PDB file of all heavy atoms in Angstrom:
ATOM      1  N   ASP A   1       0.839  -1.192   0.000  1.00  0.00           N
ATOM      2  CA  ASP A   1       0.000   0.000   0.000  1.00  0.00           C
ATOM      3  C   ASP A   1       0.877   1.247   0.000  1.00  0.00           C
ATOM      4  O   ASP A   1       2.095   1.182   0.157  1.00  0.00           O
ATOM      5  CB  ASP A   1      -0.983   0.028   1.172  1.00  0.00           C
ATOM      6  CG  ASP A   1      -0.303   0.006   2.531  1.00  0.00           C
ATOM      7  OD1 ASP A   1       0.753   0.634   2.670  1.00  0.00           O
ATOM      8  OD2 ASP A   1      -0.835  -0.642   3.450  1.00  0.00           O
ATOM      9  N   VAL A   2       0.225   2.380  -0.193  1.00  0.00           N
ATOM     10  CA  VAL A   2       0.883   3.682  -0.215  1.00  0.00           C
ATOM     11  C   VAL A   2       0.231   4.551   0.847  1.00  0.00           C
ATOM     12  O   VAL A   2      -0.987   4.708   0.857  1.00  0.00           O
ATOM     13  CB  VAL A   2       0.743   4.349  -1.598  1.00  0.00           C
ATOM     14  CG1 VAL A   2       1.460   5.692  -1.606  1.00  0.00           C
ATOM     15  CG2 VAL A   2       1.282   3.438  -2.699  1.00  0.00           C
ATOM     16  N   GLN A   3       1.025   5.098   1.757  1.00  0.00           N
ATOM     17  CA  GLN A   3       0.506   5.907   2.858  1.00  0.00           C
ATOM     18  C   GLN A   3       0.840   7.369   2.630  1.00  0.00           C
ATOM     19  O   GLN A   3       2.001   7.738   2.436  1.00  0.00           O
ATOM     20  CB  GLN A   3       1.089   5.448   4.193  1.00  0.00           C
ATOM     21  CG  GLN A   3       0.606   6.259   5.384  1.00  0.00           C
ATOM     22  CD  GLN A   3       1.288   5.841   6.675  1.00  0.00           C
ATOM     23  OE1 GLN A   3       2.135   4.962   6.677  1.00  0.00           O
ATOM     24  NE2 GLN A   3       0.920   6.489   7.767  1.00  0.00           N
ATOM     25  N   GLN A   4      -0.166   8.217   2.643  1.00  0.00           N
ATOM     26  CA  GLN A   4       0.031   9.655   2.538  1.00  0.00           C
ATOM     27  C   GLN A   4       0.404  10.204   3.906  1.00  0.00           C
ATOM     28  O   GLN A   4      -0.218   9.861   4.908  1.00  0.00           O
ATOM     29  CB  GLN A   4      -1.242  10.316   2.021  1.00  0.00           C
ATOM     30  CG  GLN A   4      -1.137  11.814   1.804  1.00  0.00           C
ATOM     31  CD  GLN A   4      -2.385  12.364   1.148  1.00  0.00           C
ATOM     32  OE1 GLN A   4      -2.884  11.815   0.184  1.00  0.00           O
ATOM     33  NE2 GLN A   4      -2.910  13.460   1.699  1.00  0.00           N
ATOM     34  N   ILE A   5       1.422  11.060   3.964  1.00  0.00           N
ATOM     35  CA  ILE A   5       1.930  11.567   5.237  1.00  0.00           C
ATOM     36  C   ILE A   5       1.253  12.870   5.628  1.00  0.00           C
ATOM     37  O   ILE A   5       0.917  13.079   6.790  1.00  0.00           O
ATOM     38  CB  ILE A   5       3.456  11.775   5.172  1.00  0.00           C
ATOM     39  CG1 ILE A   5       4.141  10.457   4.782  1.00  0.00           C
ATOM     40  CG2 ILE A   5       3.989  12.274   6.504  1.00  0.00           C
ATOM     41  CD1 ILE A   5       3.854   9.305   5.712  1.00  0.00           C
ATOM     42  N   LEU A   6       1.028  13.759   4.671  1.00  0.00           N
ATOM     43  CA  LEU A   6       0.434  15.057   4.969  1.00  0.00           C
ATOM     44  C   LEU A   6      -1.077  15.024   4.754  1.00  0.00           C
ATOM     45  O   LEU A   6      -1.547  14.470   3.763  1.00  0.00           O
ATOM     46  CB  LEU A   6       1.038  16.128   4.057  1.00  0.00           C
ATOM     47  CG  LEU A   6       2.534  16.390   4.220  1.00  0.00           C
ATOM     48  CD1 LEU A   6       2.998  17.382   3.167  1.00  0.00           C
ATOM     49  CD2 LEU A   6       2.832  16.922   5.603  1.00  0.00           C
ATOM     50  N   PRO A   7      -1.856  15.639   5.635  1.00  0.00           N
ATOM     51  CA  PRO A   7      -3.307  15.699   5.412  1.00  0.00           C
ATOM     52  C   PRO A   7      -3.663  16.368   4.091  1.00  0.00           C
ATOM     53  O   PRO A   7      -4.607  15.979   3.419  1.00  0.00           O
ATOM     54  CB  PRO A   7      -3.807  16.507   6.612  1.00  0.00           C
ATOM     55  CG  PRO A   7      -2.769  16.294   7.657  1.00  0.00           C
ATOM     56  CD  PRO A   7      -1.466  16.195   6.927  1.00  0.00           C
ATOM     57  N   ASP A   8      -2.909  17.401   3.706  1.00  0.00           N
ATOM     58  CA  ASP A   8      -3.081  18.046   2.407  1.00  0.00           C
ATOM     59  C   ASP A   8      -1.869  17.692   1.559  1.00  0.00           C
ATOM     60  O   ASP A   8      -0.761  18.166   1.801  1.00  0.00           O
ATOM     61  CB  ASP A   8      -3.191  19.560   2.579  1.00  0.00           C
ATOM     62  CG  ASP A   8      -3.417  20.273   1.246  1.00  0.00           C
ATOM     63  OD1 ASP A   8      -3.397  19.608   0.194  1.00  0.00           O
ATOM     64  OD2 ASP A   8      -3.619  21.505   1.269  1.00  0.00           O
ATOM     65  N   LYS A   9      -2.073  16.868   0.553  1.00  0.00           N
ATOM     66  CA  LYS A   9      -0.930  16.394  -0.226  1.00  0.00           C
ATOM     67  C   LYS A   9      -0.253  17.525  -0.998  1.00  0.00           C
ATOM     68  O   LYS A   9       0.903  17.395  -1.403  1.00  0.00           O
ATOM     69  CB  LYS A   9      -1.362  15.289  -1.177  1.00  0.00           C
ATOM     70  CG  LYS A   9      -2.118  15.730  -2.410  1.00  0.00           C
ATOM     71  CD  LYS A   9      -2.324  14.547  -3.344  1.00  0.00           C
ATOM     72  CE  LYS A   9      -2.841  14.965  -4.698  1.00  0.00           C
ATOM     73  NZ  LYS A   9      -2.928  13.813  -5.619  1.00  0.00           N
ATOM     74  N   TRP A  10      -0.962  18.655  -1.206  1.00  0.00           N
ATOM     75  CA  TRP A  10      -0.394  19.767  -1.952  1.00  0.00           C
ATOM     76  C   TRP A  10       0.307  20.776  -1.042  1.00  0.00           C
ATOM     77  O   TRP A  10       0.669  21.864  -1.488  1.00  0.00           O
ATOM     78  CB  TRP A  10      -1.500  20.483  -2.720  1.00  0.00           C
ATOM     79  CG  TRP A  10      -2.232  19.615  -3.689  1.00  0.00           C
ATOM     80  CD1 TRP A  10      -3.512  19.132  -3.571  1.00  0.00           C
ATOM     81  CD2 TRP A  10      -1.735  19.100  -4.926  1.00  0.00           C
ATOM     82  NE1 TRP A  10      -3.841  18.358  -4.653  1.00  0.00           N
ATOM     83  CE2 TRP A  10      -2.773  18.320  -5.508  1.00  0.00           C
ATOM     84  CE3 TRP A  10      -0.523  19.224  -5.609  1.00  0.00           C
ATOM     85  CZ2 TRP A  10      -2.628  17.672  -6.724  1.00  0.00           C
ATOM     86  CZ3 TRP A  10      -0.374  18.582  -6.826  1.00  0.00           C
ATOM     87  CH2 TRP A  10      -1.410  17.817  -7.384  1.00  0.00           C
ATOM     88  N   GLN A  11       0.527  20.440   0.222  1.00  0.00           N
ATOM     89  CA  GLN A  11       1.024  21.423   1.181  1.00  0.00           C
ATOM     90  C   GLN A  11       2.355  22.027   0.744  1.00  0.00           C
ATOM     91  O   GLN A  11       2.554  23.247   0.818  1.00  0.00           O
ATOM     92  CB  GLN A  11       1.188  20.780   2.559  1.00  0.00           C
ATOM     93  CG  GLN A  11       1.496  21.772   3.670  1.00  0.00           C
ATOM     94  CD  GLN A  11       0.365  22.764   3.861  1.00  0.00           C
ATOM     95  OE1 GLN A  11      -0.777  22.369   4.068  1.00  0.00           O
ATOM     96  NE2 GLN A  11       0.673  24.049   3.767  1.00  0.00           N
ATOM     97  N   ARG A  12       3.265  21.206   0.285  1.00  0.00           N
ATOM     98  CA  ARG A  12       4.581  21.729  -0.100  1.00  0.00           C
ATOM     99  C   ARG A  12       4.446  22.696  -1.274  1.00  0.00           C
ATOM    100  O   ARG A  12       5.058  23.770  -1.269  1.00  0.00           O
ATOM    101  CB  ARG A  12       5.523  20.585  -0.462  1.00  0.00           C
ATOM    102  CG  ARG A  12       6.904  21.072  -0.896  1.00  0.00           C
ATOM    103  CD  ARG A  12       7.827  19.949  -1.305  1.00  0.00           C
ATOM    104  NE  ARG A  12       9.021  20.471  -1.936  1.00  0.00           N
ATOM    105  CZ  ARG A  12       9.910  19.729  -2.587  1.00  0.00           C
ATOM    106  NH1 ARG A  12       9.747  18.426  -2.676  1.00  0.00           N
ATOM    107  NH2 ARG A  12      10.959  20.289  -3.142  1.00  0.00           N
ATOM    108  N   LEU A  13       3.648  22.344  -2.279  1.00  0.00           N
ATOM    109  CA  LEU A  13       3.477  23.211  -3.433  1.00  0.00           C
ATOM    110  C   LEU A  13       2.790  24.521  -3.030  1.00  0.00           C
ATOM    111  O   LEU A  13       3.188  25.604  -3.468  1.00  0.00           O
ATOM    112  CB  LEU A  13       2.656  22.494  -4.506  1.00  0.00           C
ATOM    113  CG  LEU A  13       2.375  23.290  -5.785  1.00  0.00           C
ATOM    114  CD1 LEU A  13       3.678  23.714  -6.448  1.00  0.00           C
ATOM    115  CD2 LEU A  13       1.516  22.460  -6.747  1.00  0.00           C
ATOM    116  N   LYS A  14       1.773  24.424  -2.183  1.00  0.00           N
ATOM    117  CA  LYS A  14       1.070  25.638  -1.751  1.00  0.00           C
ATOM    118  C   LYS A  14       1.986  26.561  -0.950  1.00  0.00           C
ATOM    119  O   LYS A  14       1.964  27.789  -1.127  1.00  0.00           O
ATOM    120  CB  LYS A  14      -0.151  25.259  -0.911  1.00  0.00           C
ATOM    121  CG  LYS A  14      -1.290  24.647  -1.697  1.00  0.00           C
ATOM    122  CD  LYS A  14      -2.438  24.298  -0.752  1.00  0.00           C
ATOM    123  CE  LYS A  14      -3.604  23.685  -1.477  1.00  0.00           C
ATOM    124  NZ  LYS A  14      -4.708  23.326  -0.544  1.00  0.00           N
ATOM    125  N   ASP A  15       2.780  25.986  -0.058  1.00  0.00           N
ATOM    126  CA  ASP A  15       3.693  26.801   0.733  1.00  0.00           C
ATOM    127  C   ASP A  15       4.666  27.542  -0.180  1.00  0.00           C
ATOM    128  O   ASP A  15       4.977  28.721   0.028  1.00  0.00           O
ATOM    129  CB  ASP A  15       4.467  25.927   1.726  1.00  0.00           C
ATOM    130  CG  ASP A  15       3.609  25.439   2.877  1.00  0.00           C
ATOM    131  OD1 ASP A  15       2.498  25.983   3.061  1.00  0.00           O
ATOM    132  OD2 ASP A  15       4.041  24.510   3.578  1.00  0.00           O
ATOM    133  N   TRP A  16       5.156  26.837  -1.192  1.00  0.00           N
ATOM    134  CA  TRP A  16       6.091  27.458  -2.132  1.00  0.00           C
ATOM    135  C   TRP A  16       5.397  28.565  -2.920  1.00  0.00           C
ATOM    136  O   TRP A  16       5.960  29.650  -3.115  1.00  0.00           O
ATOM    137  CB  TRP A  16       6.651  26.400  -3.084  1.00  0.00           C
ATOM    138  CG  TRP A  16       7.653  26.967  -4.048  1.00  0.00           C
ATOM    139  CD1 TRP A  16       8.982  27.161  -3.835  1.00  0.00           C
ATOM    140  CD2 TRP A  16       7.385  27.429  -5.381  1.00  0.00           C
ATOM    141  NE1 TRP A  16       9.569  27.708  -4.949  1.00  0.00           N
ATOM    142  CE2 TRP A  16       8.606  27.884  -5.916  1.00  0.00           C
ATOM    143  CE3 TRP A  16       6.246  27.492  -6.170  1.00  0.00           C
ATOM    144  CZ2 TRP A  16       8.717  28.392  -7.211  1.00  0.00           C
ATOM    145  CZ3 TRP A  16       6.350  28.001  -7.456  1.00  0.00           C
ATOM    146  CH2 TRP A  16       7.565  28.452  -7.964  1.00  0.00           C
ATOM    147  N   MET A  17       4.178  28.309  -3.376  1.00  0.00           N
ATOM    148  CA  MET A  17       3.455  29.315  -4.155  1.00  0.00           C
ATOM    149  C   MET A  17       3.185  30.564  -3.329  1.00  0.00           C
ATOM    150  O   MET A  17       3.312  31.693  -3.818  1.00  0.00           O
ATOM    151  CB  MET A  17       2.146  28.727  -4.675  1.00  0.00           C
ATOM    152  CG  MET A  17       2.319  27.651  -5.729  1.00  0.00           C
ATOM    153  SD  MET A  17       0.741  26.978  -6.319  1.00  0.00           S
ATOM    154  CE  MET A  17       0.128  28.379  -7.257  1.00  0.00           C
ATOM    155  N   LYS A  18       2.789  30.394  -2.065  1.00  0.00           N
ATOM    156  CA  LYS A  18       2.520  31.554  -1.218  1.00  0.00           C
ATOM    157  C   LYS A  18       3.771  32.421  -1.079  1.00  0.00           C
ATOM    158  O   LYS A  18       3.698  33.650  -1.119  1.00  0.00           O
ATOM    159  CB  LYS A  18       2.030  31.095   0.161  1.00  0.00           C
ATOM    160  CG  LYS A  18       0.601  30.611   0.166  1.00  0.00           C
ATOM    161  CD  LYS A  18       0.061  30.410   1.572  1.00  0.00           C
ATOM    162  CE  LYS A  18       0.718  29.230   2.265  1.00  0.00           C
ATOM    163  NZ  LYS A  18       0.095  28.951   3.582  1.00  0.00           N
ATOM    164  N   GLN A  19       4.919  31.776  -0.911  1.00  0.00           N
ATOM    165  CA  GLN A  19       6.154  32.528  -0.735  1.00  0.00           C
ATOM    166  C   GLN A  19       6.644  33.117  -2.056  1.00  0.00           C
ATOM    167  O   GLN A  19       6.998  34.294  -2.129  1.00  0.00           O
ATOM    168  CB  GLN A  19       7.230  31.620  -0.141  1.00  0.00           C
ATOM    169  CG  GLN A  19       8.574  32.313   0.039  1.00  0.00           C
ATOM    170  CD  GLN A  19       9.597  31.387   0.681  1.00  0.00           C
ATOM    171  OE1 GLN A  19       9.281  30.302   1.123  1.00  0.00           O
ATOM    172  NE2 GLN A  19      10.841  31.842   0.729  1.00  0.00           N
ATOM    173  N   GLU A  20       6.629  32.309  -3.104  1.00  0.00           N
ATOM    174  CA  GLU A  20       7.179  32.734  -4.387  1.00  0.00           C
ATOM    175  C   GLU A  20       6.319  33.811  -5.045  1.00  0.00           C
ATOM    176  O   GLU A  20       6.841  34.756  -5.640  1.00  0.00           O
ATOM    177  CB  GLU A  20       7.300  31.526  -5.319  1.00  0.00           C
ATOM    178  CG  GLU A  20       8.007  31.812  -6.635  1.00  0.00           C
ATOM    179  CD  GLU A  20       9.494  32.046  -6.479  1.00  0.00           C
ATOM    180  OE1 GLU A  20      10.029  31.812  -5.374  1.00  0.00           O
ATOM    181  OE2 GLU A  20      10.135  32.474  -7.459  1.00  0.00           O
ATOM    182  N   TYR A  21       4.997  33.675  -4.936  1.00  0.00           N
ATOM    183  CA  TYR A  21       4.094  34.612  -5.590  1.00  0.00           C
ATOM    184  C   TYR A  21       3.574  35.679  -4.632  1.00  0.00           C
ATOM    185  O   TYR A  21       2.763  36.515  -5.013  1.00  0.00           O
ATOM    186  CB  TYR A  21       2.899  33.866  -6.191  1.00  0.00           C
ATOM    187  CG  TYR A  21       3.286  32.768  -7.152  1.00  0.00           C
ATOM    188  CD1 TYR A  21       2.562  31.584  -7.197  1.00  0.00           C
ATOM    189  CD2 TYR A  21       4.373  32.898  -8.009  1.00  0.00           C
ATOM    190  CE1 TYR A  21       2.895  30.564  -8.073  1.00  0.00           C
ATOM    191  CE2 TYR A  21       4.727  31.878  -8.889  1.00  0.00           C
ATOM    192  CZ  TYR A  21       3.988  30.719  -8.915  1.00  0.00           C
ATOM    193  OH  TYR A  21       4.325  29.719  -9.777  1.00  0.00           O
ATOM    194  N   ASN A  22       4.020  35.619  -3.372  1.00  0.00           N
ATOM    195  CA  ASN A  22       3.606  36.593  -2.356  1.00  0.00           C
ATOM    196  C   ASN A  22       2.084  36.632  -2.231  1.00  0.00           C
ATOM    197  O   ASN A  22       1.475  37.698  -2.146  1.00  0.00           O
ATOM    198  CB  ASN A  22       4.153  37.982  -2.705  1.00  0.00           C
ATOM    199  CG  ASN A  22       4.179  38.908  -1.498  1.00  0.00           C
ATOM    200  OD1 ASN A  22       4.162  38.453  -0.355  1.00  0.00           O
ATOM    201  ND2 ASN A  22       4.217  40.207  -1.749  1.00  0.00           N
ATOM    202  N   LEU A  23       1.473  35.458  -2.224  1.00  0.00           N
ATOM    203  CA  LEU A  23       0.032  35.357  -2.077  1.00  0.00           C
ATOM    204  C   LEU A  23      -0.354  35.554  -0.616  1.00  0.00           C
ATOM    205  O   LEU A  23       0.381  35.169   0.300  1.00  0.00           O
ATOM    206  CB  LEU A  23      -0.470  33.992  -2.550  1.00  0.00           C
ATOM    207  CG  LEU A  23      -0.282  33.648  -4.030  1.00  0.00           C
ATOM    208  CD1 LEU A  23      -0.734  32.220  -4.286  1.00  0.00           C
ATOM    209  CD2 LEU A  23      -1.063  34.609  -4.905  1.00  0.00           C
ATOM    210  N   GLU A  24      -1.517  36.152  -0.382  1.00  0.00           N
ATOM    211  CA  GLU A  24      -2.010  36.253   0.974  1.00  0.00           C
ATOM    212  C   GLU A  24      -2.414  34.877   1.482  1.00  0.00           C
ATOM    213  O   GLU A  24      -2.709  33.970   0.709  1.00  0.00           O
ATOM    214  CB  GLU A  24      -3.211  37.205   1.029  1.00  0.00           C
ATOM    215  CG  GLU A  24      -2.827  38.655   0.778  1.00  0.00           C
ATOM    216  CD  GLU A  24      -3.992  39.590   1.004  1.00  0.00           C
ATOM    217  OE1 GLU A  24      -5.110  39.104   1.256  1.00  0.00           O
ATOM    218  OE2 GLU A  24      -3.783  40.818   0.936  1.00  0.00           O
ATOM    219  N   ASN A  25      -2.438  34.750   2.781  1.00  0.00           N
ATOM    220  CA  ASN A  25      -2.702  33.443   3.393  1.00  0.00           C
ATOM    221  C   ASN A  25      -4.204  33.152   3.393  1.00  0.00           C
ATOM    222  O   ASN A  25      -4.829  32.975   4.425  1.00  0.00           O
ATOM    223  CB  ASN A  25      -2.133  33.413   4.817  1.00  0.00           C
ATOM    224  CG  ASN A  25      -2.072  32.001   5.366  1.00  0.00           C
ATOM    225  OD1 ASN A  25      -1.993  31.039   4.595  1.00  0.00           O
ATOM    226  ND2 ASN A  25      -2.097  31.885   6.670  1.00  0.00           N
TER     227      ASN A  25
END
């Protein structure tokens, strides 16, 4: 089986986008 570690699988990408694009939280 495959186990997902983060509740939101896109967390790393979203964190990067917020910082890189200066998006509001």
Side-chain angles (χ1 to χ4, degrees):
D1 60 37
V2 181
Q3 179 184 1
Q4 183 174 314
I5 303 302
L6 296 175
D8 182 355
K9 76 173 191 175
W10 301 108
Q11 189 63 55
R12 179 182 169 191
L13 179 59
K14 288 179 180 179
D15 287 346
W16 182 84
M17 292 180 71
K18 285 191 290 186
Q19 178 178 352
E20 187 71 10
Y21 304 143
N22 200 21
L23 296 175
E24 291 187 355
N25 194 26

